[in-house]
Amino acid sequence: MTGDWKALVERLDGLVARIERLVPATAGEPDWRAGTAFRWRRHARGGELQVVRHPHTIRFEDLKDIDEQKRRLSDNTAQFVAGRPANNVLLTGARGTGKSSLVKAALNAFAHKGMRLIEVDKHDLVDLPDIVDLVGDRKERFLIFCDDLSFGASDAGYKSLKVALDGSIAGSADNVLIYATSNRRHLMPEFMDENLEARHVGGEIHPGETTEEKISLSERFGLWLSFYPFDQEQYLDIADHWVRTLGGKPDEASRKAALLWALERGSRSGRVAWQFARDYVGRKKK
């Protein structure tokens, strides 16, 4: 009889283990005192917030030739941190022009006032309701950061983001905003055949339903910030800044080297200027 009970207990233990693997786990709270930046990480039983041990230390002062974008994002973030009305922000435009860096700089500027940042991959946006529920009752102010955002026509995160931006029947948390970057202004690919859906009404052209649906997502962001490619002088200004910041001395030789570096890469972006400065100063310090 003892053997029968032992076998039954073992079978029950195995059944419980299998059920636990199927049932999503409740998202656990991180140690909020351990950092100012967090990442949402999904696993087989749900998701959790993980502390970013070494967040980026870039400052607003390090971002050159995007003064208007910097001012508007800083003002919006200051309103949010102070508990005043503020908008979700969509940063779009040319690659390497400082979109992501601007959000990271905002964290460094406002973390001491209680702002926290949560980075969420676009494939995990379906978990936005869980994340908002997790932080909604806390005293800190949370930016949910979605970097390099774009959607295919059937991506699951598309609807979740629309609900989070516009609110559902449950409403949205007052201490949460969404900042997203994208190379696409409307976040989704646009195809030539969508133009065929356009209608002529009273001499005006009205977009078709497919185009309207795509525009409706980006319109849910209250603040749009556009970024444009840098010209040669702007690129050199950024390269000089990073050479100086990394301990080098910008001069005519460094500027010529910076232009050659950009020519080899076919781009004059801020990212290219940063990469050049690291290479140039690193070699000079041998």
Side-chain angles (χ1 to χ4, degrees):
M1 198 62 182
T2 302
D4 292 341
W5 276 109
K6 184 177 181 181
L8 179 59
V9 170
E10 289 177 350
R11 291 184 64 186
L12 288 174
D13 286 342
L15 178 61
V16 170
R18 287 194 293 273
I19 292 174
E20 286 179 342
R21 286 195 294 269
L22 294 174
V23 176
T26 302
E29 292 199 19
D31 180 359
W32 296 109
R33 297 169 298 177
T36 59
F38 304 84
R39 290 192 185 97
W40 179 256
R41 288 289 181 259
R42 299 193 78 189
H43 47 69
R45 297 183 58 224
E48 62 180 350
L49 286 174
Q50 297 178 351
V51 177
V52 177
R53 299 295 178 184
H54 305 287
H56 208 294
T57 57
I58 196 166
R59 307 164 302 166
F60 279 134
E61 307 90 87
D62 292 323
L63 301 173
K64 302 296 182 181
D65 298 294
I66 53 171
D67 293 341
E68 179 62 16
Q69 297 93 325
K70 188 163 47 176
R71 181 190 65 79
R72 295 182 69 188
L73 185 129
S74 178
D75 288 350
N76 189 76
T77 308
Q79 292 169 208
F80 173 60
V81 171
R84 304 196 304 271
N87 278 306
N88 299 299
V89 183
L90 177 61
L91 304 90
T92 65
R95 66 185 188 275
T97 49
K99 299 185 296 294
S100 302
S101 295
L102 194 53
V103 178
K104 297 169 186 174
L107 172 64
N108 289 324
F110 293 99
H112 71 286
K113 294 185 177 181
M115 196 185 88
R116 299 294 181 263
L117 185 142
I118 299 174
E119 186 175 22
V120 181
D121 187 86
K122 71 173 184 177
H123 301 295
D124 298 333
L125 288 173
V126 291
D127 294 330
L128 275 178
D130 295 332
I131 299 172
V132 173
D133 285 346
L134 188 62
V135 304
D137 293 329
R138 294 197 59 81
K139 64 180 180 179
E140 299 91 346
R141 314 293 286 177
F142 291 90
L143 290 184
I144 294 180
F145 176 41
C146 307
D147 195 20
D148 196 20
L149 190 61
S150 64
F151 293 105
S154 59
D155 283 353
Y158 177 81
K159 184 176 180 181
S160 297
L161 180 58
K162 286 181 69 174
V163 170
L165 290 168
D166 224 16
S168 63
I169 191 172
S172 55
D174 291 335
N175 67 333
V176 176
L177 280 185
I178 297 175
Y179 282 14
T181 71
S182 180
N183 294 330
R184 291 171 170 164
R185 188 172 182 84
H186 295 308
L187 303 176
M188 296 183 73
E190 299 179 21
F191 302 102
M192 183 67 71
D193 58 4
E194 292 171 2
N195 293 327
L196 300 177
E197 299 179 6
R199 295 171 289 111
H200 295 265
V201 180
E204 296 182 350
I205 298 177
H206 291 254
E209 290 184 1
T210 304
T211 303
E212 289 281 9
E213 174 67 14
K214 291 181 176 181
I215 294 174
S216 72
L217 176 58
S218 57
E219 282 186 342
R220 282 170 164 80
F221 289 90
L223 178 60
W224 287 5
L225 298 179
S226 299
F227 293 72
Y228 305 97
F230 296 124
D231 61 27
Q232 180 169 297
E233 283 307 310
Q234 290 173 321
Y235 165 74
L236 289 174
D237 181 45
I238 297 169
D240 286 350
H241 168 77
W242 284 120
V243 168
R244 189 180 301 109
T245 300
L246 293 173
K249 182 180 179 180
D251 53 22
E252 191 62 28
S254 70
R255 291 168 72 89
K256 288 181 178 178
L259 288 175
L260 178 59
W261 184 276
L263 182 63
E264 290 172 344
R265 282 150 185 78
S267 173
R268 289 194 298 249
S269 71
R271 182 182 296 119
V272 169
W274 158 252
Q275 293 167 346
F276 158 74
R278 289 176 62 86
D279 176 80
Y280 184 82
V281 175
R283 286 188 291 105
K284 289 292 183 181
K285 287 188 175 181
K286 285 182 180 179

